[in-house]
Amino acid sequence: MRVQRYWQALIVCLIIGAGSASADVHSFADPDAYRQQHLHLDVDVDFDASMLSGYVDIEFERQGRSRPPLVLDTRDLIIRSVAYYTKKGAWQRLPYQLSKADANLGRALSIDLPGRAPRRFKVRIDYETQPEASGLQWLTPPQTAGGKHPFLFSQSQAIHARSWVPLQDTPAVRFTFTATVRTPPALRAVMGASTTAADREAGRYAFEMPQPIPSYLMAIAAGELDFQAIGERTGVYAEPSVLEAAAFEFADTERMLEVSESLFGAYRWGRYDLLILPPSFPFGGMENPRLSFITPTVLAGDRSLVALIAHELAHSWSGNLVTNSSWRDLWLNEGFTVFLEARIMEALYGEDRRRMEERLGYEGLLGDFASLAPAMQRLAVDLTGKNPDLVFSQVPYEKGRLMLVWLDNAFGRETLNDFLQEYFDHFAFKSIATEDFLAYADANLLADNTAGVSRADLERWIFEPGLPDVAVLPSADIFARIDSARERFLADSLAPSAIDTEAWSTQDWLYFLNNLPDALSSEQLAALDDAFDLTSAGNNEIAHSWLLIAIRNDYQPAWPRLEDYLLSIGRNKLVKPLYQALMATERGGEFARDVFERARPGYHPLTITVNEQIVYPEGR
Ligand code: BES
Ligand code: ZN
């Protein structure tokens, strides 16, 4: 079977050109043979054993005439049995094998189907997860805000759904699902789905996701959670002690939803709620359908980091409605989403705010370009043999955004808005590759060629490294005041205490700090810290930028905060650059490894995998 797939893949490569194959290299499944259509999950959340235990029923549809074994993705799962639902309504055991484990992909579960299986059939897999499941984090009570109850959450993107459900773990395949989840009675279970029944006393919940989704959007969490409404279709789930702050911080969510609908078309998922996770959540946010998972590190108290909500909400169109069919094409999700996020931010908070965030994003991209091989600077990037978690960068995000900004400039806002609405409509609930976007844009945007944009221009953006000359780069003019303050400070003509920062926004601060020279004197550092109390900054993004500076310049007074920061926050985007900066200094390595080892028990598996490579460059 593997051999046959190899030849098929080779032929496809030869036909459409090497490197552009759209098959998913991160899944063992063969969606050309079978496709999962619907899934029912029935699990117990067992905090004592740190495992999900139960079964999943999956309905498949055979695609062609041949009946090869059915192959699913798994990772660290214990498979107890596999059964087939017969015409007579009985469960018939099926033979199966698990392949040897691949470090990135896990193990293929090959199921021998009965000879006469009809086109549509159902399989039940009885299984349990392992405590180290890469897509789950089991938190002990002290790792939560309340400190009394344990907490569980999933993070399936990119290829971790397979560590908690055996399934075709590829974004190329979409399915609907229902679920029954049992938790200890004090806890509430939630999923990225609608709750159809909740018996809180019994700890029994039922969920339904009627819209077809890809596997990476399957999500579950359980903890001591309360709910507060924000608007008619929006609300927040959080631990009781965090709920009020979260409802305040994200009070604009309903307005964001309304603005998004007016810009991108109807919201097709029913409700839009937020789930605030403990600080070990490895991402800023995750666009799980109907229920975005959100880091608590954006609870700044002043709503200054809510672009994250605009981003996750925007995924309801770019990503969840129109989905990348493999991780090569992640830019179709993330680049479009960053572009939509900016549209939302501008509509709510004005053009200046949008321009500031655009500039900060662009500077982040330049930072990444500096350390990325040319092949990784493409929008469509060949990830064969790579672990998606280890090649995460700003390229699909910010270069993708810049491509759309360039189209926006060339065609005008109205034309591009119309194009995007039609694109979301045309490909709604479909998974597409870069080539599908190209063909669609060619036919529906470039066809009359009034803007002088050609398909070759688009292909240059997508398949070549760096940025093309035509890129419209976000100007720093919007931060002119900040540049001038920084220059005067560096020229020694302005003491920090004399800089009027009263009206500075979080974005102004980030721009100020991120553009300080690498080397500062200890007097300069102390003066900045004295004037602005940066070491105790309450805003986690500002603290992050300051700590990077502190590390580069061995500014010891910030060390206790740095240690506390690395021990209490697990959001990879905030901790990884700190470990990298530490490793680039002479004495930082030892400190980095010491803190990392103490932080490890509280970190999410993804944060461990990524940062372990950084603090132990030669292996442990
Ligand atoms: N979907 C992503 C997170 C992700 C991407 C997880 C790829 C796994 C693989 C999410 O929407 C995201 O982009 N989060 C960002 C938000 C930011 C760009 C506003 C994050 O977590 O920092
Ligand atoms: Zn995103």
Side-chain angles (χ1 to χ4, degrees), residues 155 157 283-285 287 308 311-312 315 334 392 397 571:
Q155 169 56 41
Q157 195 183 12
F283 287 96
E287 64 271 26
L308 174 73
H311 180 96
E312 303 314 334
H315 271 306
E334 299 300 343
F392 188 81
Y397 289 77
R571 179 180 174 190

